Amino acid sequence: MNLDLDGKRAIVTGGSRGIGLAVARGLANEGVDVVIAARAAEPLAAAARTLAEETGRRVVAIPTDTGDDGQVEALVERTVAELGGVDILVNSAATPWSAGASADLAATSDDVVRREVEIKVLGYLRTARAVAPHLVEQRWGRIINISGLGARQANSIAQTIRNISVSALTKNLADELGPKGINVTVVHPGLTRTERLTQRLTAQAEESGNTVTELEAELAKNTLRRVIDAAEVADVVTFLASPRSIAITGDAIAVGGGVPGPVFY
């Protein structure tokens, strides 16, 4: 299937590693010129060079803290200047969730919740607010918010709040922007194979004597009983960023390999 993405222009936040980097690669492989944004300048620049060499597309690194409204506005302004416009926004910048951190009521301070919401919810709002006028003017665009299956399971107060809030933001944007030609969706990854997970499991393998593959198998509680790779999440996001996804907006797309048991409808 031709996704009709050739020549489109995208911003991917959190684009220096993990799911964000995989999404940027997926889009560039389909002919999209991409701006990747993250806070750390050096890893971001290295990722941009690698993607440009791999894909032959223009990939621009713009260091950005999405917790700062001024930096977000500058990100969009520079994107438009560098690429001539913007068609797609993928929000993937978020503070990593700390597996094993205390998550009960007593441990959930105001500051813990504020930290989780500041980047993954308000950061997504800032970027959408800055990009939307450009999409509205051209009467076409895609916004894809990366959330997580933590929205569907009460593992932690703060984690659930931030992920559900992204879904609520998505639906509100979709309803407002849909009549203006803009589709907005939220993607819920589960446990995903990224650089961070591989590094953690490699360290555990050295201590335990097990292989990374064996440790992954122990973690894979999804329907498929295997860990989903970041590139497989990116495949779904790339489709949602394309004109072919016209029939999907305002909805949550789970990309965790299936959750055994519950029926979502």
Side-chain angles (χ1 to χ4, degrees):
M1 178 183 290
N2 181 356
L3 294 181
D4 295 327
L5 277 168
D6 193 50
K8 297 292 187 187
R9 302 149 300 185
I11 295 173
V12 180
T13 69
S16 63
R17 62 185 301 173
I19 291 173
L21 178 58
V23 167
R25 178 176 286 111
L27 291 171
N29 279 327
E30 291 294 329
V32 178
D33 290 328
V34 183
V35 163
I36 55 174
R39 285 178 293 183
E42 290 185 9
L44 187 67
R49 287 193 298 270
T50 299
L51 286 182
E53 291 171 1
E54 286 179 3
T55 65
R57 300 304 303 185
R58 189 168 186 199
V59 182
V60 180
I62 303 180
T64 306
D65 179 357
T66 58
D68 183 303
D69 199 40
Q71 291 191 41
V72 169
E73 291 177 358
L75 164 67
V76 176
E77 289 172 4
R78 186 175 162 194
T79 298
V80 171
E82 294 268 359
L83 302 184
V86 60
D87 306 291
I88 299 159
L89 169 65
V90 180
N91 278 314
S92 188
T95 51
W97 184 252
S98 299
S102 297
D104 60 4
L105 177 60
T108 305
S109 67
D110 292 358
D111 286 340
V112 166
V113 177
R114 286 191 189 100
R115 183 174 64 247
E116 295 303 323
V117 169
E118 181 61 46
I119 301 300
K120 194 161 187 177
V121 182
L122 293 179
Y124 287 16
L125 173 62
R126 292 182 188 103
T127 53
R129 189 168 56 216
V131 166
H134 299 278
L135 307 184
V136 169
E137 183 178 2
Q138 66 197 20
R139 303 291 297 182
W140 194 91
R142 296 287 186 268
I143 299 174
I144 301 102
N145 296 319
I146 308 299
S147 184
L149 284 174
R152 296 181 175 179
Q153 191 168 8
N155 288 324
S156 154
I157 295 170
Q159 185 185 30
T160 304
I161 286 173
R162 77 174 188 171
N163 287 323
I164 288 177
S165 296
V166 171
S167 293
L169 171 64
T170 298
K171 179 57 175 168
N172 278 273
L173 294 178
D175 285 358
E176 178 177 345
L177 298 176
K180 300 167 185 178
I182 301 155
N183 289 42
V184 189
T185 48
V186 57
V187 169
H188 288 325
L191 179 69
T192 304
R193 185 186 298 111
T194 62
E195 302 94 332
R196 186 182 301 275
L197 178 63
T198 299
Q199 290 167 2
R200 176 163 66 90
L201 294 185
T202 299
Q204 289 181 9
E206 292 174 355
E207 294 177 2
S208 67
N210 294 322
T211 66
V212 170
T213 300
E214 289 170 338
L215 293 173
E216 274 198 1
E218 292 176 5
L219 292 174
K221 307 298 184 184
N222 59 9
T223 302
L224 298 180
R225 295 298 192 268
R226 73 169 181 84
V227 174
I228 300 301
D229 191 81
E232 295 167 323
V233 175
D235 287 341
V236 176
V237 175
T238 300
F239 169 75
L240 292 173
S242 78
R244 298 286 187 172
S245 70
I246 184 62
I248 305 172
T249 195
D251 286 320
I253 310 298
V255 289
V259 178
V263 177
F264 296 100
Y265 60 93

